[in-house]
Amino acid sequence: MDEPEGRRVPKIPDLRPCARSPVVDGLKIASQRQGGIVSRFDGDLELIDAYWRAANYLSVGQIYLRTNPLLREPLQAQHIKPRLLGHWGTSPGLNFCYAHLNRTIKARDLNMIYIMGPGHGGPAAVANAWLEGTYSEVYPEVSQDEAGLARLFRQFSSPGGIPSHVAPETPGSIHEGGELGYSLAHAYGAAFDNPDLVVACIVGDGEAETGPLATGWHGNKFLDPVGDGAVLPILHLNGYKIANPAVLARIPEDELIRLFEGYGYRPQLVSGDDPERMHREMAAALDQALDEIAEIQSMARDGRGHGRPRWPMIILRSPKGWTGPKEVEGLPVEGTWRAHQVPLAAVRENPAHLAQLEEWLRSYRPEELFDADGRPAGRLLALAPSGERRMSANPHANGGVLLRPLKLPDFTAYGVPVDKPGTTATEPTRRLGAFLRDVITANPDNFRIMGPDETASNRLGDVLEVTDRVFVGERYETDEHLGPRGRVLEVLSEHQCQGWLEGYLLTGRHGLFNSYEAFVHIVDSMFNQHAKWLKVTRHLPWRAPLASFNYLLSSHVWRQDHNGFTHQDPGFLDVVLNKKAEIVRVYLPPDANTLLSVGDHCLRSRDYVNVVVAGKQPALNWLAMDQAITHCTRGIGIWEWASTDGGGDPDVVMACAGDIPTLETLAATDLLRRLFPELRVRVVNVVDLMRLQPSDEHPHGLTDPEFDALFTPDKPVIFAFHGYPYLIHRLTYRRTGHHNLHVRGYIEEGTTTTPFDMVMMNDLDRFHLVMDVIDRVPSLGARVAHIRQRMADKRLELRAYTRQHGEDAPDISDWTWPH
Amino acid sequence: MDEPEGRRVPKIPDLRPCARSPVVDGLKIASQRQGGIVSRFDGDLELIDAYWRAANYLSVGQIYLRTNPLLREPLQAQHIKPRLLGHWGTSPGLNFCYAHLNRTIKARDLNMIYIMGPGHGGPAAVANAWLEGTYSEVYPEVSQDEAGLARLFRQFSSPGGIPSHVAPETPGSIHEGGELGYSLAHAYGAAFDNPDLVVACIVGDGEAETGPLATGWHGNKFLDPVGDGAVLPILHLNGYKIANPAVLARIPEDELIRLFEGYGYRPQLVSGDDPERMHREMAAALDQALDEIAEIQSMARDGRGHGRPRWPMIILRSPKGWTGPKEVEGLPVEGTWRAHQVPLAAVRENPAHLAQLEEWLRSYRPEELFDADGRPAGRLLALAPSGERRMSANPHANGGVLLRPLKLPDFTAYGVPVDKPGTTATEPTRRLGAFLRDVITANPDNFRIMGPDETASNRLGDVLEVTDRVFVGERYETDEHLGPRGRVLEVLSEHQCQGWLEGYLLTGRHGLFNSYEAFVHIVDSMFNQHAKWLKVTRHLPWRAPLASFNYLLSSHVWRQDHNGFTHQDPGFLDVVLNKKAEIVRVYLPPDANTLLSVGDHCLRSRDYVNVVVAGKQPALNWLAMDQAITHCTRGIGIWEWASTDGGGDPDVVMACAGDIPTLETLAATDLLRRLFPELRVRVVNVVDLMRLQPSDEHPHGLTDPEFDALFTPDKPVIFAFHGYPYLIHRLTYRRTGHHNLHVRGYIEEGTTTTPFDMVMMNDLDRFHLVMDVIDRVPSLGARVAHIRQRMADKRLELRAYTRQHGEDAPDISDWTWPH
């Protein structure tokens, strides 16, 4: 069969393994290339091209073929899948980079992983893992032979098979790429504290339009050339997203170069569609880039270089659907948006399409690429690295296997003594900060704290006694605790924080993301994707467990009276609870000691997303450390010291979850004692929100008898809740006494206020809770109307006080537990 | 009192109004400036400085002063607010830009609005609105005199007062800036189709680190110099976010310039801390930038220029907290992170702080700035533009006053005839696309469709018959429907789409954002902020109603079988329903005619966020147009033609919301008819999800008797729902029959499948719904076990079919309603 135009490659029959490239002056190579004098790659060219053809063949096969995987017989309609799914357009570019990186891995014995921003190129990821043998090691039924090849093709995007995108099921991947935008953040996260790792990161030109990716380039200001590894971004301009041109593919070349120089990189452009020339260019560009990385690292590590390096990057401009059909039915396909998904769509119905597909597949010359058994030809196997050097088998891409447990100091040592509940105040996160300081000291290279510049304002500042905030660039005398190496990464981008921490955890380390509660919604979708990733990996035995993703939401809704309505949103909890129960945990510790206990627990856990909501303002201490540990271990419990039901049957249950709701509930209980001394009140505090769910829905869920024992099956329950009140109803609607449950929470009525004015505005205040009790405990009798009105009057009076004085009345702000 | 070092300005006693600047060669001005020969602004300098001092004084006053607003008596502790809130750091820079822009507005008679990315600078926004008189016009109690001034200071960030951030309450604002990142997207959205408008947009260097802002700069590739207005970005580098340096403030100047050249702008740098020099530099830079804008627009509009213009931008580098305390207790403040919020924190307690505050306030020389009545001095008033030229009073910043209702064609003309329900199939969004095409034709300059490159794939492609997708830059022959001017904006950034549409709506126009359901979570936080904005404006009588924000989620969860788990997430509805009932609406039209009816309704509505979830795949048509209109007007209703309860008491209610749930419910009803001919089944379909809520919680909510009449108080209800099942429970938990409600929905069990395999995996399929009926209608008697097992077997058989054939069995995919 004739070779199609434009992709002829020189045929060099015998191939020597490529010698280790000498470290040469990058600029010299560049000038040689401009003069066209690049010859030293000739030896590899045909092999790289053959490898590329093999990966392309396998990519097309996955999209189209049900049977006849090696085209041993002429292609017929019945060999074709009934539903044609998957994305061809990005795949040849991904395969091109993969083949070239493989050469450099072997030549330089590199420790490299491959992040595929264009995650739609699932066929490419799977093709390369299969070529390298990893796929068959992980999934033995997909063997490296003809039967395995048939299975490989058939399973792709088929019922009971594998997803069409790069996914947790894909060996070598830490990045799904279904939702676009996070490849660079994942790449930098993976590189932190991995000084020997090179993270090759393919950025699609569609993805490059997203916000998270556009700021992702600034990761280079946070990468320490001494203690961290390298990220090698390869921006792949293939011109189109779905139906539209991609922005960066349509700006003039000088703008493009300036943009990436402005981002602080040294870009090299590899551009064209002639495979032979492109192989030469790409090989030269990669050698130059890897030389530059080696030089940067060696200078920094020898103490010869200071300041922020100008890291290399590559801009690869190649046709979308490169090597695919040039035209279909008279319309251009290769190099256009028509190549995005399935270029030939009617293959089963249209014999011309079928013939064109066969021509396309045979253009890769499968007979040269696979042996008689359907195994990749030996010379292809020779290009692939071996063992853990294969990008598909690199342990960093299955980080759990590298995970070292944190060395944790005894958290009880950071606790506050509580002789009498509710009489002393502490900033809970400040205690946690002291604990985290010593976690950092004990774990200097595998624990990081991320946040949008709130570590100090969240009262975790003690950590800065032992580490710096990372900034690789110009520093001034007035800067404090700022340096190129540290455990705290602060950037005003929740996307960067989230993406970095994901990349860090996925490569086997530990960490914490602290943020404003309202603004953590910025990463709702990233949380969703990470939770989905964890959910799938849970059922993949070869993926080792990871450290949990820990959120600490300290500037929470009830302390945003001064910042106002925009800063008030507790709805992240609702988003979190939509995900599978086996993955998510939500903790609402009400004071310092409970926060320490919860924090310690979260840092030890695996494969969860833990969300901890805890205050940073001084708050009353309720539980001594031993009580706190017991309470947090149970996750929910009766506070007997605050209850007046004598361990027997209460008249009303006052439940609470969250620090401010707990404060108001206790203050309401105090009022109730004085107003209705005979009323039997039970106080129930919830730290672990999942305890409220039925036991068949969440592993932490209480059984119905347990729930009824706490909340009673028939007594009114006044539940003061940190978040939107619906959430409690959603968790408890199946419980026996649910119709007795009355929830107070945040109801979106915020405006500028004082702290107590804010709880009043949302009817969560102590006086309103007392009114709720009055409304729901009819046994209180005739005095009720009188007292109820007193409560309502008190609220008006307090509101007037704040209006007049600009702050809360002292009897509110100074209240302590008097019993 | 001595003037502090470094902010001396020349005192020129008399001021002439500034002449209209001649349009001159921008480069010439730049070279003059480099040579220091800029003299033509001398006349304005002192006035601009005085104006700036006045705004700064008012900003500091808002943060600190309770009384004594004009410092008529020596400052004492009792004049100080008890809680010191607000952000000083960014305010002087915002004031500086505002004063300079005011000069240019007057000089050039510009139609300009001001977007304050650093929304924390609320004091600055309020100060300028008050100086211009707008504040007192909108809020007469805050008059332009000493009493008003006292009120202005006192209300700021105080109980019952105004927020500390720029907010809906702030005249002249369309941008809240509580959550950072969206200023440029709002600016471009405001400029679209406003050819005479200049949008000055201050971007903070903190905000500039966010992803949405980092990609926001690319708005210039979508701005048509002919039909759109101009955006003038002013990147304000004041060096710090909260406690950390800002990235862009710490990169070398050549990188900074290259970055913005790479983004396609022509940057000018204005840098320093000496007010006199800075005034000259800023005035010259603004004149140059505005000259360039005028020249770009004039060339493009005269047909002299083609291609994408290189729009100007300004980089303003000035000290954080400029003109504030240089040092406090020996530590540097001005120009450091310590100036971020309240530089002198202990003013009431510490006499030295008090004295320093007084010195600071008096350094602005209030006695020169305000007359005896506390009114701004006449010469200040002379700098401010008048009437609607004031940025605080520009009608574009209160877009509802400019809103023209859409001219809407009769949507019924686009409907599909339905003689017999459930027998013909249509792609619903394709019909909507035809309607939208004619909406565009009838409204060529005030309606836009935004999306991340999914307009065609969402089957709205008919709109491209009459308009282009916007791209201002290089175009190729193979591009289709791409041009500098059009109604469709597509960019692979949900943040850009959302932000642009917000800016467009807030300035009084109409639009639609179409997106993948799963990935719309990317803008959860932006939705939250917009909903909060609308909630607040609802209660501000001077803010005129806006067109609603319309989401069309077409690639929804149940059609993402092929794209897999990452593409499956219906949780945006949960996020939406956390917001105030008066703002949010959710519609789930089950077919083409209902989608048209809902679409028409949404485009006519005001001040809502409408979320419409509708399929793009061929789906059975259930309702003829007249039935569709009635059904959508009710929002919920019994489908009598599908029911077998004869209008009487049913044995079971089959409820459904969403296209796929409706299909499966009808198919289950078909099965029930055949399996249990005597069973009285009622089918209830929900289009308007808010109908389920209690009437006291949502204006659309059914009363309890209405709800009971539809769902019965005591019969089992099997509810097939589009989203997470919890959402239905959350909406209905107070209803009489809630304990009989059994919901099937999405439960996060996705993997690669076929469409029917996906509904089976989530137990939402017709056979499972029949099993649910069997489990919940005990009257079905002894045959039950047998039939139940047949249903379960059928599911296994169908799953096996998909595994073998790679597609759904024909009796599933070809099913139609046979009755």
Side-chain angles (χ1 to χ4, degrees), chain B residues 365-600:
Chain B
R365 306 195 299 279
E367 65 285 1
E368 296 177 13
L369 306 173
F370 305 98
D371 68 15
D373 298 329
R375 192 175 148 76
R379 61 203 193 94
L380 294 188
L381 296 176
L383 178 75
S386 59
E388 296 191 347
R389 284 300 191 237
R390 295 171 295 179
M391 293 191 285
S392 57
N394 191 303
H396 292 283
N398 182 12
V401 302
L402 301 175
L403 186 68
R404 288 171 285 141
L406 282 177
K407 294 174 195 142
L408 290 175
D410 176 7
F411 70 90
T412 64
Y414 306 84
V416 349
V418 180
D419 299 332
K420 199 171 161 327
T423 52
T424 58
T426 303
E427 294 158 318
T429 52
R430 202 176 287 285
R431 295 284 164 158
L432 186 72
F435 173 66
L436 292 174
R437 175 195 61 212
D438 296 345
V439 172
I440 285 173
T441 304
N443 303 275
D445 65 352
N446 64 340
F447 176 76
R448 294 245 189 175
I449 296 176
M450 322 269 171
D453 198 6
E454 284 153 24
T455 303
S457 98
N458 279 337
R459 314 282 200 267
L460 302 176
D462 281 4
V463 302
L464 300 177
E465 293 172 12
V466 298
T467 192
D468 278 346
R469 293 181 281 222
V470 176
F471 188 68
V472 183
E474 203 184 351
R475 295 199 299 285
Y476 300 162
E477 267 182 32
T478 47
D479 293 332
E480 293 185 351
H481 309 301
L482 196 74
R485 181 127 198 89
R487 301 290 95 199
V488 179
L489 285 161
E490 297 196 317
V491 64
L492 211 163
S493 165
E494 285 79 1
H495 295 110
Q496 292 271 64
C497 295
Q498 172 89 23
W500 286 346
L501 185 52
E502 286 176 4
Y504 198 68
L505 299 176
L506 287 161
T507 48
R509 282 80 62 77
H510 307 260
L512 178 76
F513 174 15
N514 72 106
S515 180
Y516 270 76
E517 183 175 33
F519 302 147
V520 77
H521 270 300
I522 291 170
V523 294
D524 277 1
S525 60
M526 296 181 77
F527 153 79
N528 279 341
Q529 297 298 335
H530 189 66
K532 282 174 182 277
W533 179 280
L534 291 178
K535 191 257 179 199
V536 175
T537 57
R538 278 265 173 134
H539 303 280
L540 297 171
W542 61 274
R543 287 246 181 218
L546 301 169
S548 300
F549 192 113
N550 299 306
Y551 290 96
L552 175 65
L553 308 180
S554 291
S555 296
H556 67 58
V557 56
W558 298 106
R559 295 300 200 176
Q560 293 303 314
D561 49 285
H562 61 295
N563 272 323
F565 196 32
T566 54
H567 286 54
Q568 299 166 4
D569 192 305
F572 186 61
L573 302 188
D574 300 75
V575 172
V576 167
L577 289 187
N578 279 338
K579 294 298 143 196
K580 290 304 278 188
E582 59 190 334
I583 300 303
V584 295
R585 302 287 182 272
V586 174
Y587 298 100
L588 295 153
D591 68 0
N593 288 339
T594 48
L595 174 59
L596 282 164
S597 174
V598 164
D600 178 79

Side-chain angles (χ1 to χ4, degrees), chain A residues 356-571:
Chain A
Q356 205 178 349
L357 173 63
E358 182 164 12
E359 183 191 7
W360 174 16
L361 280 163
R362 290 199 192 277
S363 76
Y364 299 118
R365 307 196 299 279
E367 65 284 0
E368 295 177 14
L369 306 173
F370 305 97
D371 67 17
D373 299 328
R375 194 176 146 75
R379 62 204 192 91
L380 295 187
L381 296 176
L383 179 74
S386 59
E388 297 190 346
R389 283 301 191 235
R390 295 172 295 180
M391 292 190 286
S392 57
N394 190 304
H396 292 283
N398 182 12
V401 301
L402 301 175
L403 186 69
R404 288 171 286 141
L406 283 176
K407 293 174 197 140
L408 290 175
D410 176 8
F411 70 90
T412 63
Y414 305 85
V416 348
V418 180
D419 297 331
K420 199 171 161 328
T423 51
T424 58
T426 303
E427 295 159 317
T429 52
R430 200 175 289 284
R431 294 286 165 156
L432 186 72
F435 172 65
L436 292 175
R437 175 195 61 212
D438 296 344
V439 172
I440 285 173
T441 303
N443 304 274
D445 65 353
N446 63 340
F447 175 76
R448 295 244 188 176
I449 296 175
M450 322 271 172
D453 199 5
E454 285 154 22
T455 303
S457 97
N458 279 336
R459 315 280 200 270
L460 302 176
D462 281 4
V463 301
L464 300 177
E465 292 172 11
V466 298
T467 192
D468 277 347
R469 294 182 280 222
V470 177
F471 188 69
V472 184
E474 203 183 352
R475 296 199 299 284
Y476 300 161
E477 264 182 35
T478 47
D479 294 332
E480 293 186 350
H481 309 301
L482 196 73
R485 183 127 199 90
R487 301 291 93 200
V488 178
L489 284 162
E490 296 197 318
V491 65
L492 211 162
S493 165
E494 285 78 2
H495 294 110
Q496 292 271 63
C497 296
Q498 172 89 23
W500 287 345
L501 185 52
E502 287 177 3
Y504 198 68
L505 299 177
L506 287 162
T507 48
R509 283 78 63 80
H510 307 261
L512 178 76
F513 174 14
N514 72 106
S515 181
Y516 270 76
E517 184 177 31
F519 302 147
V520 77
H521 271 299
I522 291 170
V523 293
D524 277 1
S525 60
M526 296 181 76
F527 154 78
N528 279 340
Q529 298 297 336
H530 188 67
K532 282 174 183 275
W533 178 281
L534 290 179
K535 190 258 181 196
V536 175
T537 57
R538 277 264 174 133
H539 302 280
L540 297 171
W542 61 275
R543 287 248 182 216
L546 301 169
S548 300
F549 192 112
N550 299 307
Y551 291 94
L552 174 65
L553 308 180
S554 291
S555 295
H556 68 58
V557 57
W558 298 106
R559 295 300 200 174
Q560 293 303 314
D561 50 285
H562 61 294
N563 272 322
F565 196 31
T566 55
H567 286 54
Q568 298 167 3
D569 193 305

Side-chain angles (χ1 to χ4, degrees), chain A residues 163 209 215 242 244 250 258 261 338 453 479 490 492 524 532 568-569 579-580 748-749 752, chain B residues 163 209 215 242 244 250 258 261 453 479-480 490 492 524 532 568-569 579-580 748-749 752:
Chain A
E209 293 179 11
T215 200
I242 300 179
N244 269 286
R250 293 284 177 100
R258 272 166 197 268
E261 287 175 346
R338 292 192 189 85
D453 199 5
D479 294 332
E490 296 197 318
L492 211 162
D524 277 1
K532 282 174 183 275
Q568 298 167 3
D569 193 305
K579 295 299 143 197
K580 291 303 279 191
E748 291 274 329
E749 286 293 359
T752 303
Chain B
E209 294 179 11
T215 198
I242 301 179
N244 269 285
R250 294 284 177 101
R258 271 165 197 267
E261 288 176 345
D453 198 6
D479 293 332
E480 293 185 351
E490 297 196 317
L492 211 163
D524 277 1
K532 282 174 182 277
Q568 299 166 4
D569 192 305
K579 294 298 143 196
K580 290 304 278 188
E748 292 274 328
E749 284 294 357
T752 304

